[in-house]
Amino acid sequence: VQLQASGGGSVQPGGSLKLSCAASGFTLGYYSIGWFREAPGKEREGVSCISRTDGSTYYADSVKGRFNISRDNAKDTVYLQMNSLKSEDTAVYYCATLVWNSCALGEYDHWGQGTQVTVSS
């Protein structure tokens, strides 16, 4: 089970980035997928999640209204569209599967290499 996050980069405040999550060895579409981020000196923060069953989406308060999670089952990819980026969004972003496929529980069990997002003027 391997997941790969990509699409990070450096942007100015107010800019946008779109992250992608792909998998090898399994089909993403069978799983709820979450995004979390890690920044130096800060606790891991769950950012967003999309349910495998009905496509329900979940967002941290810190990103609500700015980020949008979606999935393309034809491409077996999950996306995180990030708009109106702020300096506090700077972190390494990871996509992950969840324990019991539960976005509500919010516990991650498999993830791979993350992608760096840097928001700076």
Side-chain angles (χ1 to χ4, degrees):
V1 175
Q2 286 193 331
L3 295 99
Q4 177 69 53
S6 62
S10 295
V11 296
Q12 293 186 339
S16 298
L17 283 172
K18 187 174 185 178
L19 307 184
S20 299
C21 177
S24 59
F26 71 104
T27 301
L28 269 185
Y30 295 157
Y31 294 84
S32 298
I33 299 296
W35 288 90
F36 66 88
R37 62 189 180 186
E38 294 184 339
K42 295 184 179 180
E43 291 187 2
R44 175 184 294 178
E45 181 184 18
V47 173
S48 185
C49 188
I50 186 165
S51 170
R52 72 174 179 127
T53 52
D54 60 2
S56 297
T57 57
Y58 301 79
Y59 299 94
D61 287 343
S62 59
V63 307
K64 205 169 289 184
R66 301 188 296 121
F67 289 12
N68 185 68
I69 191 171
S70 62
R71 67 195 317 159
D72 184 335
N73 288 332
K75 296 182 178 179
D76 203 33
T77 302
V78 172
Y79 302 99
L80 185 68
Q81 176 69 47
M82 306 187 298
N83 300 321
S84 302
L85 283 162
K86 306 176 181 179
S87 57
E88 52 262 45
D89 295 319
T90 295
V92 178
Y93 285 71
Y94 300 85
C95 60
T97 57
L98 294 108
V99 173
W100 298 338
N101 268 313
S102 173
C103 287
L105 183 62
E107 293 186 12
Y108 307 104
D109 55 4
H110 295 286
W111 60 89
Q113 186 174 352
T115 186
Q116 175 71 48
V117 171
T118 302
V119 184
S120 174
S121 56

